[in-house]
């Protein structure tokens, strides 16, 4: 990942807020989407590639797999040698080749893991121009984000560095994105904004919210349902040669979360848990204690690691200059006792890399098995193949199996997988299926967020690599001095555009990136009148299309010999957008729940369309010029907007399938951050 971070940010108000203007959860009733001409053209190209690849047959596939086996053996051996260099040959067996002890990965989930990798390899074989990538996403709290360390010292970055070479050796790429955020739990804001924050078409989601979710198991349950719902939409909106059903990994699963994972696994999801206890205990037992014993023979990754029977704790292991390695940066924040230092992050990262290299190795062997004649077993994981083999058929059958698992999960009631009672009155009024199982559109100001990096939030479509040079918004000082704020006050008929803002004080001035997670926000400033925004914007319409069951053009169908697809339904911008129109606004999550006095709070008071109100904390909101009469608390920092006659569903939007939100803070001493 890039390490140089821009430093030209200026000071701004208090602290943070966040997100989702309007964690705009307009819920989608129907999964799917309309396809742009560019998307159709790419599918035609993909279809032609597969058609050409069909002539390769079994012999070509056998040769391909033999080459993969040779490559992965070499890469696996190179990985082992690099770990011996880093940790020492004598300590290597205490850490590596212990996947069965460091992870809970049941056979059924393992087969799903291998199948996901087999699909990637077969697609690459059939058309190398697809540039197949296995994408790992980490979502979590401040420790997962590696606060106190360099961003590239996180266990996620370490995983990518050491697993990527093995994937590249077999013609795939491997990307691990650390999109963890300090102070955030996994629900409901993060879950409902899953695609806006983490992106689309990923292969594995790693949940590391234990410290912030606490005992709220329903948040993990909701996130799992949102992952499966999104994957179903990705699969239906792609060609029939694309299938998505991400694995879910959980860090620090207690018994209740373990049971939630088992429930999801029984219904078709592939899951696993990192349980490094045996590895850590062996290291503690065998490493010389740095508080009393010489460390001279240890590598830097193990020296001064264990003191007084604890990792990165006690003297000298817990000293900041030992636990953290962040020179040349100075006055680095978040170097606290509950955050892991660079050595623990590195250890967890190489444990994950060991797992990924092992799974990749086994998946290639599994692919070789698929070419051997055998009986179809009861779980549909072994294919009967004899004589000349069509690789396209193998891929199709594997994707069909994956689709069957995904359908099995979604065919069960959401009440079987989510504790509805914990989600409160909003779910009582709109239904659990709406919240857990229908696709949502979220506009989030939070960082990191894929929709920010891709220019979707601002509508620019200015896509950047990861977290460099994206549309960063403006500081409060810039907003106050900028036109139109300096020239006029927004009115309901001529409101001011809702600005995207950030607090420069959150950005740490160092040439090496320390963190990328920031609580940016959409600013509704008291004293400037009405501000407005339209959701979805043009970029959101392109990137989050909906309402379609047809997945390819007529020419692509002809290439693949299919005539079973239905017609394209209208896209957003043509009405009938498929949304139920449940609109949720999520406000700032303040550190330690300590918000400055000038923060307007939706929970403290609400008043509609009163231009002269100055008492309390009144806020005015309209949706497509219809007044919001109340806000209904959802979970945490999120509120559903209620219209006249107590409705929480605002319908399909205007004639263009869009929603214009207008907001006004009537007290000029207050600011609302959403």
């Amino acid at each position: 990942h890039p390490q140089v971070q821009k430093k030209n940010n200026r000071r701004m108000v208090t602290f943070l807020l966040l997100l989702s203007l309007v964690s705009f959860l307009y819920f989608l009733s129907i999964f799917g989407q309309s396809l742009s001409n560019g998307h159709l053209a790419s599918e035609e190209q993909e279809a032609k590639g597969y058609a050409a690849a069909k002539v390769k047959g079994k012999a070509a596939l056998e040769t391909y797999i033999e080459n993969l086996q040779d490559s992965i053996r070499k890469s696996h051996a190179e990985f082992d040698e690099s770990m011996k260099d880093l940790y020492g040959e004598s300590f290597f067996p205490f850490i590596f080749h212990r996947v069965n002890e460091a992870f809970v990965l049941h056979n059924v989930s393992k087969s799903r893991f291998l199948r996901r990798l087999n699909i990637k390899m077969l697609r690459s074989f059939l058309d190398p121009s697809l540039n197949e990538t296995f994408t790992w996403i980490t979502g979590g709290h401040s420790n997962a984000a590696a606060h106190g360390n360099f961003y590239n010292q996180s266990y996620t970055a370490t995983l990518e560095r050491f697993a990527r070479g093995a994937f590249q050796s077999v013609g795939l790429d491997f990307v691990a994105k650390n999109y963890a955020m300090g102070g955030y739990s996994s629900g409901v804001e993060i879950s409902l904004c899953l695609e806006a924050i983490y992106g689309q078409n990923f292969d594995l989601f790693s949940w590391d919210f234990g410290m912030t979710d606490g005992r709220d198991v329903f948040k993990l349950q909701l996130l799992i349902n949102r992952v499966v719902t999104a994957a179903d939409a990705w699969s239906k909106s792609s060609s029939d040669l694309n299938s998505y059903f991400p694995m879910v990994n959980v860090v620090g699963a207690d018994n209740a979360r373990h049971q939630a994972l088992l429930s999801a696994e029984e219904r078709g999801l592939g899951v696993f848990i990192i349980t490094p206890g045996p590895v850590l205990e062996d290291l503690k037992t065998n490493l010389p204690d740095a508080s009393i014993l010489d460390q001279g023979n240890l590598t830097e990754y193990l020296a001064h690691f264990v003191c007084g029977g604890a990792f990165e704790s006690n003297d000298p292991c817990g000293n900041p200059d030992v636990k953290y390695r962040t020179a040349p940066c100075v006055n680095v924040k978040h170097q606290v006792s509950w955050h892991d230092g660079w050595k623990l992050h590195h250890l967890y990262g190489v444990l994950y890399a060991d797992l990924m290299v092992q799974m990749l190795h086994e998946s290639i062997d599994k692919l070789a098995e698929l070419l051997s004649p055998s009986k179809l077993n009861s779980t549909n994981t072994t294919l009967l193949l004899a004589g000349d083999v069509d690789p396209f058929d193998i891929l199709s059958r594997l994707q069909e199996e994956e689709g069957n698992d995904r359908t099995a999960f979604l065919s069960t009631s959401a009440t079987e997988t989510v504790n509805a009672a914990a989600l409160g009155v909003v779910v009582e009024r709109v239904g659990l299926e709406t919240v857990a199982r229908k696709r949502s559109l979220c506009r989030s100001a939070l960082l990191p967020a894929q929709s920010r990096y891709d220019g979707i939030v601002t509508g620019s479509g200015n896509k950047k690599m990861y977290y460099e040079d994206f549309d960063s918004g403006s500081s409060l000082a810039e907003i106050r001095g900028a036109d139109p704020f300096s020239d006029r006050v927004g009115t309901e008929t001529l409101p001011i555009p809702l600005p995207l803002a950030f607090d420069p004080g959150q950005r740490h001035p160092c040439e090496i990136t320390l963190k990328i997670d920031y609580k940016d926000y959409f600013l509704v400033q008291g004293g400037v009148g009405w501000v407005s925004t339209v959701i979805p914007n043009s970029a959101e319409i392109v990137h989050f299309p909906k309402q379609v069951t047809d997945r390819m053009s007529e020419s692509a169908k002809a290439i693949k010999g299919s005539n079973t697809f239905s017609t394209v339904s209208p896209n957003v911008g043509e009405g009938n957008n498929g949304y139920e129109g449940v609109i949720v606004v999520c406000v700032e999550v303040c550190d330690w729940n300590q918000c400055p006095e000038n923060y307007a709070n939706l929970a403290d008071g609400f008043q509609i369309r009163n231009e002269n109100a100055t008492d309390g904390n009144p806020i005015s909101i309209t949706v497509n010029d219809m007044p919001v009469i109340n806000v209904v608390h959802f979970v945490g920092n999120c509120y559903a907007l209620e219209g006249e006659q107590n409705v929480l569903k605002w319908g399909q939007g205007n004639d263009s399938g869009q929603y214009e939100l207008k907001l006004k803070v009537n007290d000029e001493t207050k600011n609302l951050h959403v």
Side-chain angles (χ1 to χ4, degrees), residues 221-494:
Q221 294 171 330
L222 178 62
L223 186 137
I224 287 173
N225 275 264
R226 302 303 304 169
V227 167
V228 179
T229 295
D232 193 60
W234 305 337
S235 299
K236 289 180 177 179
S237 63
S238 177
S239 75
D240 64 346
L241 295 174
N242 276 316
S243 174
Y244 301 98
F245 199 17
M247 295 287 294
V248 173
N249 166 56
V250 168
V251 180
D254 58 15
N255 184 61
R257 281 193 276 265
H258 196 170
Q259 292 304 312
L261 286 178
L262 289 176
S263 175
E265 184 179 60
E266 290 170 0
R267 288 161 175 79
L269 184 67
V271 302
F272 65 100
I273 305 168
I274 183 171
T275 54
V279 172
L280 299 181
E281 286 302 315
D282 280 355
L283 276 178
K284 279 196 287 188
T285 300
N286 290 280
L287 274 175
D289 193 307
S291 62
I292 55 176
L293 297 173
D294 181 69
Q295 306 286 290
N297 294 326
L298 299 176
T299 71
E300 62 177 338
Y301 294 90
L302 293 177
H304 302 102
F305 197 14
V306 174
C307 291
F311 289 103
E312 296 184 334
S313 184
N314 304 314
D315 189 43
C317 301
N319 295 343
D321 57 343
V322 175
K323 180 178 178 179
Y324 299 101
R325 181 182 285 181
T326 50
C329 299
V330 296
N331 301 319
V332 177
K333 300 177 181 179
H334 313 304
Q335 293 186 343
V336 292
S337 61
W338 57 87
H339 287 160
D340 292 339
W342 71 272
K343 290 172 189 154
L344 268 177
H345 270 284
H346 196 277
L347 178 61
Y348 289 133
V350 296
L351 285 174
Y352 276 126
D354 192 26
L355 169 72
M356 293 306 300
V357 173
Q358 179 65 30
M359 290 300 100
L360 185 62
H361 199 154
E362 291 188 33
S363 71
I364 295 171
D365 292 338
K366 183 66 177 179
L367 194 57
E369 291 178 16
L370 297 181
L371 295 184
S372 302
S374 58
K375 292 182 178 180
L376 188 68
N377 68 20
S378 59
T379 60
N380 277 347
T381 55
T382 304
L383 303 177
L384 178 61
L385 300 169
D388 194 26
V389 173
D390 180 357
F392 177 84
D393 183 60
I394 303 176
L395 173 62
S396 298
R397 296 183 68 178
L398 289 176
Q399 292 189 140
E400 182 181 4
E401 292 174 16
E402 189 170 69
N404 290 341
D405 281 345
R406 192 176 59 246
T407 300
F409 185 100
L410 293 173
S411 66
T412 62
S413 171
T415 57
E416 297 181 32
T417 54
V418 183
N419 178 6
L423 287 166
V425 67
V426 172
V427 166
E428 290 178 10
R429 293 176 60 177
V430 304
L432 181 61
E433 291 291 328
T434 292
V435 173
R437 295 283 180 83
K438 293 185 179 178
R439 203 177 184 189
S440 61
L441 171 64
C442 168
R443 182 179 297 174
S444 175
L446 283 177
L447 288 174
Q450 197 63 49
S451 57
R452 291 282 309 272
Y453 301 143
D454 290 346
I456 299 171
V457 169
T458 59
S460 71
N462 185 21
K463 188 172 184 177
K464 295 295 183 179
M465 292 298 293
Y466 214 171
Y467 55 89
E468 281 193 325
D469 298 326
F470 59 93
D471 299 326
S472 60
S474 304
S475 70
L476 182 57
E478 291 173 321
I479 291 171
R480 282 175 172 164
D483 190 62
F485 285 83
S486 58
D487 292 339
R488 67 180 177 88
V489 173
T491 65
E492 280 196 80
T493 56
L494 192 61

Side-chain angles (χ1 to χ4, degrees), residues 118-130:
N118 284 161
I119 288 171
K120 293 283 184 184
M121 281 181 259
L122 282 168
R123 282 172 55 83
S124 180
F125 166 73
L126 289 167
D127 188 355
S129 68
L130 294 175

Side-chain angles (χ1 to χ4, degrees), residues 464-536:
K464 295 295 183 179
M465 292 298 293
Y466 214 171
Y467 55 89
E468 281 193 325
D469 298 326
F470 59 93
D471 299 326
S472 60
S474 304
S475 70
L476 182 57
E478 291 173 321
I479 291 171
R480 282 175 172 164
D483 190 62
F485 285 83
S486 58
D487 292 339
R488 67 180 177 88
V489 173
T491 65
E492 280 196 80
T493 56
L494 192 61
I496 294 168
L498 179 71
L500 172 62
F502 65 88
D503 179 0
Q506 291 187 10
R507 271 63 167 175
H508 193 285
C510 184
E511 61 187 22
I512 301 176
T513 301
L514 288 160
K515 56 183 284 190
I516 66 169
D517 59 302
Y518 299 108
K519 295 167 183 174
D520 293 357
Y521 48 86
F522 298 100
L523 175 65
V524 185
Q525 187 178 353
V528 303
W530 288 89
V531 296
S532 73
T533 189
V534 174
I535 302 176

Side-chain angles (χ1 to χ4, degrees), residues 172-186:
L172 303 177
D173 200 0
F174 178 80
V175 173
K177 296 182 179 181
N178 186 356
Y179 281 11
M181 302 177 188
Y184 271 85
S185 71
S186 66

